[in-house]
């Protein structure tokens, strides 16, 4: 079974600074996807960034980027130029690649990010 | 931008009662999911649904749970006889099989959730 581990229950960053959230996972699959979702107090889960395991290049999305280390099964999220609106719970998630049918997400326990002035 | 909508936002039910949580997925999506999040814990997969049948279900999704797509727009989760431990936030999600071509890379879009409180 796949597992996702986020070892940082809480992190804090000052506005405009950079923060890195850690995530490790365990799988026997070779083809899969990794995601970071953001859950603000408004509750909705919002996709931040995704990475295909077959791609060596790290995904970037504006101020958000990942450091994907497939051999180490590590998938960290870097937030640059942090903003107050970045404050939320961040979940790392794994999904096995399946075509033609639904494929579930397996989530980590989350990291609560605080952004301070 | 199209959204997944869930109703109600908060449901309070007596233990032992039946409850139905409703979701309207994004209109062209074909894969549907239910997840739950017990307060302070991680989001857990319950069930996935495609082509009018369950694709996969977790250990949590026992005989007390059922899902249905009664018409072309709604996707419901029914809990037949609720227990105290069913108290949680329930999230519906949907995904589009065609985004990113046929490589299976379809991001799941989540609703705002229904907070279920069992008394």
């Amino acid at each position: 079974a796949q597992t996702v581990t986020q070892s940082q229950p809480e992190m804090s960053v000052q506005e405009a600074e950079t923060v890195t959230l850690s995530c490790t996972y365990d799988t026997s699959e070779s083809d899969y996807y990794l995601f970071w979702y953001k859950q603000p107090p408004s509750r909705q889960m919002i996709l931040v960034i995704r990475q295909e395991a077959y791609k060596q290049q790290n995904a970037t999305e504006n101020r958000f980027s990942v450091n994907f280390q497939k051999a180490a099964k590590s998938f960290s999220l870097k937030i640059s130029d942090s903003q107050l609106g970045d404050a939320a719970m961040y979940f790392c998630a794994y999904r096995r690649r399946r075509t033609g049918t639904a494929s579930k997400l397996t989530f980590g326990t989350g990291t609560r990010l605080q952004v301070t002035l | 931008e199209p959204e997944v909508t869930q109703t109600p936002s908060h449901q309070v039910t007596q233990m032992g009662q039946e409850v139905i949580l409703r979701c309207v997925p994004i209109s062209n999506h074909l894969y549907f999911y239910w997840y739950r999040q017990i307060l302070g814990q991680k989001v857990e997969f319950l069930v996935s649904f495609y082509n009018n049948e369950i694709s996969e279900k977790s250990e949590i999704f026992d005989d007390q749970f059922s899902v249905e797509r009664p018409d072309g727009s709604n996707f419901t989760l029914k809990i037949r006889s609720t227990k105290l431990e069913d108290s949680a936030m329930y999230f519906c999600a949907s995904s589009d099989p065609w985004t990113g071509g046929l490589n299976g890379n379809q991001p799941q879009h989540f609703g705002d959730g229904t907070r279920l409180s069992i008394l």
Side-chain angles (χ1 to χ4, degrees):
Chain A
Q2 296 83 21
T3 59
V4 178
T5 302
Q6 293 178 251
S7 58
Q8 306 155 314
E10 287 190 13
M11 292 283 285
S12 183
V13 63
Q14 279 194 320
E15 201 177 15
E17 296 296 307
T18 295
V19 65
T20 299
L21 309 185
S22 302
C23 173
T24 58
Y25 59 95
D26 189 26
T27 182
S28 58
E29 302 283 338
S30 60
D31 202 0
Y32 50 87
Y33 303 101
L34 295 164
F35 304 84
W36 280 97
Y37 278 87
K38 170 185 177 181
Q39 186 182 37
S42 63
R43 309 185 306 196
Q44 189 179 33
M45 300 275 285
I46 303 165
L47 177 65
V48 175
I49 197 166
R50 62 186 179 214
Q51 173 81 42
E52 292 92 339
Y54 64 86
K55 287 186 178 178
Q56 291 188 334
Q57 187 173 7
N58 289 323
T60 62
E61 195 73 41
N62 300 315
R63 298 183 293 108
F64 299 88
S65 62
V66 298
N67 183 4
F68 174 49
Q69 302 288 328
K70 190 171 184 180
K73 294 182 179 164
S74 169
F75 182 61
S76 60
L77 173 70
K78 185 170 86 170
I79 306 174
S80 304
D81 186 26
S82 297
Q83 300 174 359
L84 293 176
D86 295 334
M89 183 72 89
Y90 286 81
F91 290 98
C92 178
Y94 164 99
R95 196 183 82 211
R96 185 164 59 117
R97 179 182 166 180
R98 297 174 75 189
T99 54
T101 189
S103 183
K104 69 180 182 185
L105 288 165
T106 299
F107 286 89
T109 50
T111 296
R112 183 171 302 282
L113 178 66
Q114 290 185 320
V115 181
T116 58
L117 293 171
Chain B
E1 187 175 324
E3 290 184 341
V4 175
T5 56
Q6 291 186 242
T7 54
S9 58
H10 191 189
Q11 173 82 44
V12 181
T13 301
Q14 292 287 333
M15 187 172 61
Q17 295 296 304
E18 175 183 285
V19 66
I20 297 176
L21 308 183
R22 292 184 165 79
C23 170
V24 179
I26 294 173
S27 62
N28 62 334
H29 286 188
L30 298 180
Y31 303 144
F32 312 114
Y33 311 82
W34 283 102
Y35 295 83
R36 80 170 185 191
Q37 185 181 27
I38 295 172
L39 187 64
Q41 298 186 23
K42 67 178 178 181
V43 179
E44 301 172 290
F45 168 76
L46 290 178
V47 65
S48 59
F49 192 86
Y50 169 63
N51 201 25
N52 285 319
E53 59 183 28
I54 290 173
S55 300
E56 187 178 4
K57 59 183 181 179
S58 70
E59 295 171 351
I60 304 166
F61 195 87
D62 62 22
D63 292 344
Q64 294 297 315
F65 291 87
S66 63
V67 288
E68 194 178 31
R69 187 153 163 82
D71 51 42
S73 60
N74 290 284
F75 178 52
T76 61
L77 174 70
K78 182 195 290 187
I79 309 175
R80 248 178 290 280
S81 177
T82 49
K83 309 185 200 69
L84 292 175
E85 54 265 36
D86 294 328
S87 295
M89 183 75 80
Y90 287 81
F91 291 101
C92 174
S94 69
S95 63
D96 167 11
W98 306 115
T99 301
L102 298 178
N103 64 6
N105 184 20
Q106 318 98 353
Q108 293 177 24
H109 298 258
F110 283 78
D112 284 349
T114 293
R115 184 176 299 284
L116 178 62
S117 300
I118 306 300
L119 305 178

